[in-house]
Amino acid sequence: MALQKDPALELQELTDRINYLNYQYYQNSVSEVSDYEFDQLLKRLQELEEQFPALRQPNSPTLRVGGTITKNFETVFHKYPMLSLSNTYSEEELREFDNRVRKAIGSDVEYVCEQKFDGVAISLTYENGQFVQGATRGDGTRGDNITANVRTIRDVPLQVHGEGFPELFEVRGEVFMPLPVFQQLNAEREETGEQLLANPRNATSGTLKQQDSAVVASRKLGCFCYSFHTFQPLFDSHSESLQAIHKWGFQVSDTWRKCSSIEEVLAYVNEWEVRRTELPIATDGVVVKVNSYALQQELGFTSKSPRWAIAYKYAAMSAATRLQGIQYQVGRTGAVTPVALLEPVLLAGTVVKRASVHNANEIQRLDLRLGDMVFVEKGGEIIPKITGVDLAQRPADSQPILYPTNCPACGTPLVRSEGEANFYCPNDTGCEPQILAKFEHFISRKAMNITDLGPETIAQLYRTGLARNVADLYDLTFEQLCVLERMGEKSANNILASLERSKATPYDRVLFALGIRFVGSTVARKLAEQLPDLEALRGATYEELLAINEIGERIANSIITYFQDQDNVQLVERLKQAGLTFKSSFKSPEMESDRLEDKTFVISGVFQSMSREELQQLILSHGGKVVSSISAKLNYLVAGDKMGPAKREKATKLGVPILSEDEFLEMIK
Ligand code: IVH
């Protein structure tokens, strides 16, 4: 028999190997193994950790994939306050800063110039080379403990690499969302009819405050570090610190440069104002720091910021122009969003005629009036936005903007639910732009992919009454299509063939195509995996929906509400009759017995002989149901290791029997 490897040893070897490979990949851009091999190593480590939970290391690389839930972020005090920088906007002011510094020091000084990253500041604490805490800036004195979320950021080393680091230290940097991830996120939000995120910085800040660290992991945040803090000074200068933390495994942007005069500083500023688009993160200027720590100490701080550093901010790409009107657009979900119509103005190389105003609150907040001279800015965001009003130029007879009370397209009174920033037109079966947008979503590439139907044909079909909803598309005949204006026989045939082909579209994409609010393509896939046909989905209770990974209250509510509406039920039924796929091809577990029929289970903690997913499958395969929350109606709580005391207490109080793993296995034996 082959000798069994000591699990503790295997786990340590795997951890070291993965950490090393990560370091090579992220720090040195070297892939020593294929993605597949890397995933296998990580998978083996996960298996070992599930099998031997006591061996799990606090900074295991498996934590990168997330899954830790933080309900409330604890407040933590910063050991060193997180200050801000004073800003300058001109060459002249930068020269004044240099004069002040040289006057105080009495000689020329060396500076370090860096990018001013436009992300979210973070403080990272290490003890004995292990990452122990990640905190937001907060008010500079205390911030939020977001450690679990920070662990998922690949640029943040969980263990320091190499040697020579002190027992306790802090590194600070800027967390950011790479532009492609931001664009993808907004594309998904557009798909689900959610408000778009204004810029990558807001998206980063929202991501860091997510309760589920798996969501954070999926956003692929990055982190550039720019400072090092210890009680015992270890280095003589900032540049030495940057070199050292880089060697220890922190990501330091290699854009920094030592400059020995203000002329060199200005050359850096001018160079990077042009080159900033090469970077994966938006920058809004340059930070200039005195390099020597001794000189930094001599210069000291004001109450808010260091005297040894300054931020030179690029002038925002902004222009002033006249607000000519507001147009209200009705989206697929009925959301009515205002768009500002502007007198055309040149901004950062393009002519801008429209700008986003986000929602009604924004009109009020800015006190926008028709005819106002407004400032338009193009920042990290793609669409320009109005940032303010030039009150000095306000016409005497300017009129406040009255937000419409009725839908601009169909006249139905608008509604606004509590907590929502947008007004909605509730007429989802009779409001033309809403319906046309629903059609367009249904036929889109990621949904039913009916490529031969374009927006113009859809509008024609709708207006002639041939298709009032998406189910009508499948009743269309060749004769009906041929009589449409500008429609040849060939196009009519193509459309019919395209519709026919679409019937084979997999269930998850059909679900996505329905356009249920908040059900984007990822959520649709999850639903199709867990509730393998239409009947299962329609019959799912709120608890059952919540038990599915990635489905929260908002999505669960939206699905329940969708199927409460008889129009929707009928529509889906007609689509089913037409032959669309409403059954998942994902394998549902083979039924092994009905021993657990009608019994509900909550699973909590870590199990010895199987993963949580395996336990869930086992319950399903014996006819039981898995739910997420403990109530008096629950039949059993299956408790593994590391189950929180609150769950145990709640189950005991409500008289819900608690099963150990062995007791559960006994039940189905
Ligand atoms: S040094 C007191 N370096 O700017 C020293 N900050 O206005 C402050 N920032 O909260 C930190 N890039 O979020 C420093 N290269 C850089 C920076 C940077 C961006 C942000 C940071 C800080 C804010 C200060």
Side-chain angles (χ1 to χ4, degrees):
M1 207 178 77
L3 211 58
Q4 276 269 310
K5 207 170 190 176
D6 172 17
L9 187 67
E10 189 185 353
L11 189 136
Q12 188 58 55
E13 282 175 4
L14 277 167
T15 306
D16 290 347
R17 175 90 182 132
I18 295 170
N19 281 340
Y20 167 77
L21 291 171
N22 261 333
Y23 179 82
Q24 286 293 75
Y25 185 79
Y26 284 100
Q27 215 57 16
N28 297 334
S29 307
V30 177
S31 304
E32 288 193 12
V33 294
S34 68
D35 285 357
Y36 175 77
E37 278 172 87
F38 185 83
D39 288 344
Q40 290 307 103
L41 293 172
L42 205 61
K43 211 166 136 201
R44 176 69 193 139
L45 180 58
Q46 267 170 327
E47 275 169 17
L48 275 176
E49 288 179 346
E50 272 168 24
Q51 219 177 336
F52 305 100
L55 295 179
R56 190 192 287 268
Q57 300 188 350
N59 271 328
S60 163
T62 59
L63 292 168
R64 293 282 200 217
V65 296
T68 311
I69 307 286
T70 315
K71 282 278 178 218
N72 292 306
F73 296 103
E74 165 204 21
T75 301
V76 283
F77 280 84
H78 296 301
K79 283 196 195 64
Y80 319 87
M82 288 181 84
L83 299 173
S84 51
L85 292 164
S86 49
N87 293 326
T88 61
Y89 294 87
S90 65
E91 178 182 330
E92 196 188 330
E93 285 175 308
L94 211 47
R95 285 185 188 278
E96 279 167 17
F97 163 76
D98 174 55
N99 285 337
R100 279 199 304 277
V101 168
R102 279 185 303 116
K103 195 167 164 205
I105 303 297
S107 69
D108 279 354
V109 279
E110 185 176 60
Y111 296 108
V112 168
C113 286
E114 295 167 11
Q115 303 299 314
K116 185 162 188 335
F117 302 110
D118 194 10
V120 175
I122 185 103
S123 137
L124 310 164
T125 307
Y126 288 78
E127 272 174 34
N128 300 312
Q130 297 284 325
F131 172 64
V132 291
Q133 183 179 286
T136 61
R137 178 175 186 274
D139 63 3
T141 306
R142 58 193 150 185
D144 286 338
N145 183 345
I146 52 165
T147 308
N149 288 349
V150 176
R151 281 209 172 96
T152 68
I153 304 175
R154 304 263 163 165
D155 288 345
V156 174
L158 297 177
Q159 276 170 10
V160 178
H161 193 84
E163 51 207 24
F165 47 83
E167 214 175 296
L168 179 70
F169 68 87
E170 232 175 281
V171 163
R172 288 183 182 164
E174 203 83 352
V175 178
F176 63 94
M177 182 176 285
L179 207 56
V181 181
F182 169 71
Q183 282 159 345
Q184 168 73 21
L185 192 63
N186 258 352
E188 280 167 19
R189 289 174 82 94
E190 199 163 10
E191 247 178 29
T192 56
E194 283 175 87
Q195 186 101 44
L196 298 192
L197 298 160
N199 53 42
R201 181 172 15 84
N202 288 10
T204 307
S205 151
T207 300
L208 286 174
K209 293 290 182 60
Q210 291 285 322
Q211 293 189 341
D212 183 353
S213 65
V215 175
V216 187
S218 74
R219 304 273 169 90
K220 301 190 170 56
L221 300 180
C223 177
F224 278 138
C225 293
Y226 48 66
S227 73
F228 171 74
H229 307 256
T230 45
F231 284 116
Q232 298 289 328
L234 198 61
F235 304 109
D236 292 332
S237 66
H238 176 60
S239 56
E240 284 170 62
S241 299
L242 290 181
Q243 279 158 340
I245 63 174
H246 179 62
K247 246 191 8 236
W248 294 336
F250 294 86
Q251 185 87 312
V252 177
S253 165
D254 59 12
T255 50
W256 66 272
R257 187 184 301 165
K258 280 200 260 187
C259 294
S260 47
S261 69
I262 191 66
E263 302 308 329
E264 284 183 31
V265 168
L266 288 166
Y268 180 92
V269 166
N270 292 331
E271 178 182 332
W272 280 101
E273 179 149 16
V274 181
R275 288 184 65 193
R276 57 203 275 226
T277 50
E278 293 169 19
L279 303 169
I281 170 179
T283 60
D284 56 356
V286 162
V287 183
V288 185
K289 300 173 181 174
V290 168
N291 193 19
S292 148
Y293 280 155
L295 295 185
Q296 282 189 9
Q297 212 169 5
E298 211 174 308
L299 288 158
F301 297 85
T302 68
S303 62
K304 279 190 281 178
S305 51
R307 286 199 190 89
W308 46 263
I310 201 152
Y312 169 84
K313 301 260 281 222
Y314 300 126
M317 290 182 272
S318 141
T321 187
R322 196 72 67 186
L323 175 65
Q324 293 179 323
I326 298 271
Q327 194 183 53
Y328 298 91
Q329 287 178 337
V330 189
R332 170 165 67 83
T333 58
V336 175
T337 41
V339 177
L341 303 176
L342 308 167
E343 198 167 287
V345 61
L346 196 66
L347 175 58
T350 48
V351 177
V352 176
K353 296 183 208 145
R354 295 155 70 83
S356 64
V357 198
H358 294 306
N359 53 48
N361 295 347
E362 193 65 4
I363 293 183
Q364 255 171 17
R365 190 183 68 82
L366 295 167
D367 181 25
L368 273 187
R369 298 189 183 194
L370 293 182
D372 265 346
M373 202 62 181
V374 293
F375 299 110
V376 195
E377 254 185 38
K378 217 175 193 175
E381 50 280 306
I382 323 310
I383 319 156
K385 64 170 183 220
I386 295 188
T387 52
V389 175
D390 187 352
L391 290 176
Q393 294 199 53
R394 169 164 284 173
D397 55 353
S398 74
Q399 289 299 312
I401 294 166
L402 295 175
Y403 210 82
T405 52
N406 291 63
C407 174
C410 72
T412 307
L414 298 181
V415 293
R416 188 187 213 175
S417 329
E418 211 173 295
E420 293 255 14
N422 274 324
F423 284 95
Y424 284 84
C425 165
N427 179 18
D428 56 351
T429 51
C431 175
E432 184 170 309
Q434 250 184 90
I435 296 172
L436 294 184
K438 279 195 178 80
F439 270 106
E440 275 165 35
H441 172 73
F442 185 82
I443 64 171
S444 65
R445 206 173 39 80
K446 280 173 82 181
M448 303 303 287
N449 194 22
I450 307 173
T451 43
D452 291 283
L453 265 180
E456 279 166 31
T457 316
I458 289 288
Q460 260 183 314
L461 288 170
Y462 179 73
R463 288 177 194 149
T464 51
L466 285 176
R468 304 296 287 182
N469 62 41
V470 296
D472 293 340
L473 291 175
Y474 292 92
D475 293 339
L476 289 173
T477 63
F478 179 72
E479 290 71 28
Q480 285 174 328
L481 284 171
C482 277
V483 294
L484 291 179
E485 241 172 83
R486 290 192 303 278
M487 173 77 67
E489 290 191 7
K490 190 160 171 248
S491 309
N493 273 325
N494 284 347
I495 292 175
L496 290 173
S498 198
L499 281 161
E500 195 55 37
R501 260 198 317 274
S502 78
K503 293 183 183 171
T505 306
Y507 177 45
D508 60 314
R509 281 181 31 206
V510 177
L511 271 184
F512 169 62
L514 292 179
I516 304 173
R517 201 154 174 231
F518 307 129
V519 178
S521 40
T522 316
V523 169
R525 214 170 307 127
K526 283 272 161 223
L527 287 170
E529 266 171 33
Q530 300 294 324
L531 301 164
D533 56 27
L534 179 63
E535 285 64 41
L537 176 67
R538 223 165 22 194
T541 62
Y542 181 67
E543 274 77 25
E544 281 164 350
L545 289 168
L546 272 190
I548 301 173
N549 212 354
E550 286 187 36
I551 308 256
E553 292 173 12
R554 202 177 54 151
I555 302 176
N557 271 324
S558 163
I559 296 169
I560 301 260
T561 316
Y562 182 84
F563 286 110
Q564 273 167 355
D565 184 334
Q566 283 314 305
D567 287 341
N568 292 335
V569 173
Q570 252 174 35
L571 181 90
V572 174
E573 201 45 54
R574 281 186 60 206
L575 289 172
K576 197 179 164 197
Q577 293 306 325
L580 269 65
T581 315
F582 276 98
K583 202 171 180 56
S584 178
S585 51
F586 295 111
K587 223 170 74 244
S588 55
E590 297 278 318
M591 285 306 281
E592 299 205 8
S593 83
D594 54 6
R595 215 160 294 170
L596 306 181
E597 202 171 329
D598 298 330
K599 298 278 184 280
T600 52
F601 294 80
V602 163
I603 303 175
S604 182
V606 184
F607 298 90
Q608 299 288 333
S609 64
M610 64 192 118
S611 69
R612 287 163 62 114
E613 283 71 27
E614 284 166 334
L615 177 54
Q616 180 165 357
Q617 291 302 318
L618 210 52
I619 295 175
L620 297 177
S621 70
H622 286 276
K625 280 185 177 176
V626 179
V627 299
S628 64
S629 61
I630 302 173
S631 69
K633 280 194 294 186
L634 179 70
N635 293 106
Y636 298 103
L637 168 66
V638 193
D641 293 331
K642 294 198 186 156
M643 181 178 80
K647 282 221 168 94
R648 184 174 293 280
E649 207 174 289
K650 189 164 179 196
T652 314
K653 215 163 101 191
L654 294 171
V656 175
I658 303 176
L659 297 178
S660 70
E661 185 173 347
D662 287 342
E663 284 166 333
F664 169 77
L665 291 172
E666 196 59 35
M667 266 176 97
I668 55 165
K669 211 157 95 181

